[in-house]
Amino acid sequence: MKKHFVIAALALAGMSLSGLAVAADYSAQVGFENYGIHIGGVGSSVPGGFLHTHERFGNLDFGQRVFGGAGASIDGSVLTGSLNAGYLIHPEHNLTIKPEIGIGYIGIHPQGSHMDTGYAYGGAKVSYQVFPSIGLDARGAFGRDFGTAVSNMHTLGGLYYSGSIGADAKVGPGFATISYQYQSMPFGGGIADMNMSADQYRIGYRMSF
């Protein structure tokens, strides 16, 4: 699975060499999140903190997020890379739609076990600037899961899809943020028609550099 992820990452970087000639934008976000994992009819959720960093080189975006559970032995990391093309369709430039293709990796390590998955996707992000200091966004994507490993159980992969909504407001030098994200990944291991899903509720503060 990691081999597929590396190959996809190199391909994505090769497709966007033209974006590396422009200045990079960096941002960092810290906050609180509630991370839920559900397999079949069984699920659990863990509150904790997160740190999310983001780099943009032209149309190429990279994101890294690390998180740790409060009161439980859980930690994890998320890596993403995407190539997008932005265009404006609103006459007052308040609405932006960005089609994108990307790759991602999720590693979650609850007490005594682990979950790792890599995926590739296509989708779009819609952003709407309600006021100069308040913005809304929504994102949808679907693609291929390269295979999900949970402890010693592995799957062959399958359909991956996700959706998210969020809002931010200018507060001081940065932005206060709130968001929700849902992800669904195949979980087989000989069990037919069973998916694993993850949902995250987040509130935080983001600054750009």
Side-chain angles (χ1 to χ4, degrees):
M1 178 185 67
K2 291 184 178 180
K3 179 181 178 181
H4 289 300
F5 180 81
V6 171
I7 293 173
L10 292 174
L12 183 63
M15 291 171 60
S16 55
L17 289 176
S18 59
L20 299 179
V22 301
D25 296 323
Y26 301 94
S27 66
Q29 181 181 11
V30 296
F32 168 86
E33 78 174 349
N34 192 77
Y35 202 106
I37 302 175
H38 312 276
I39 301 177
V42 179
S44 64
S45 63
V46 177
F50 73 89
L51 168 64
H52 183 194
T53 59
H54 179 259
E55 301 84 39
R56 177 180 294 114
F57 302 89
N59 288 343
L60 180 64
D61 292 292
F62 289 105
Q64 308 85 33
R65 184 166 60 87
V66 294
F67 55 91
S73 179
I74 183 173
D75 62 88
S77 60
V78 179
L79 305 175
T80 58
S82 63
L83 177 65
N84 64 72
Y87 60 93
L88 300 171
I89 65 172
H90 193 280
E92 297 179 0
H93 294 182
N94 289 343
L95 183 64
T96 305
I97 298 179
K98 285 187 176 182
E100 61 183 3
I101 57 173
I103 55 174
Y105 165 79
I106 302 173
I108 304 174
H109 309 103
Q111 185 175 8
S113 61
H114 69 86
M115 187 278 282
D116 298 278
T117 186
Y119 54 91
Y121 65 90
K125 178 181 179 181
V126 180
S127 302
Y128 181 68
Q129 201 68 28
V130 183
F131 302 107
S133 60
I134 298 178
L136 305 174
D137 65 77
R139 170 182 275 134
F142 69 94
R144 170 74 183 186
D145 181 286
F146 297 140
T148 300
V150 179
S151 295
N152 295 322
M153 184 178 293
H154 299 266
T155 72
L156 298 177
L159 176 66
Y160 164 88
Y161 60 90
S162 68
S164 65
I165 56 174
D168 58 41
K170 180 72 173 176
V171 178
F175 289 85
T177 64
I178 185 170
S179 64
Y180 168 76
Q181 182 179 22
Y182 175 86
Q183 295 171 299
S184 177
M185 294 151 278
F187 184 79
I191 305 175
D193 300 324
M194 180 174 286
N195 278 11
M196 179 172 66
S197 63
D199 50 37
Q200 303 109 55
Y201 299 87
R202 305 188 190 104
I203 183 170
Y205 189 79
R206 183 184 72 245
M207 292 185 64
S208 299
F209 305 95

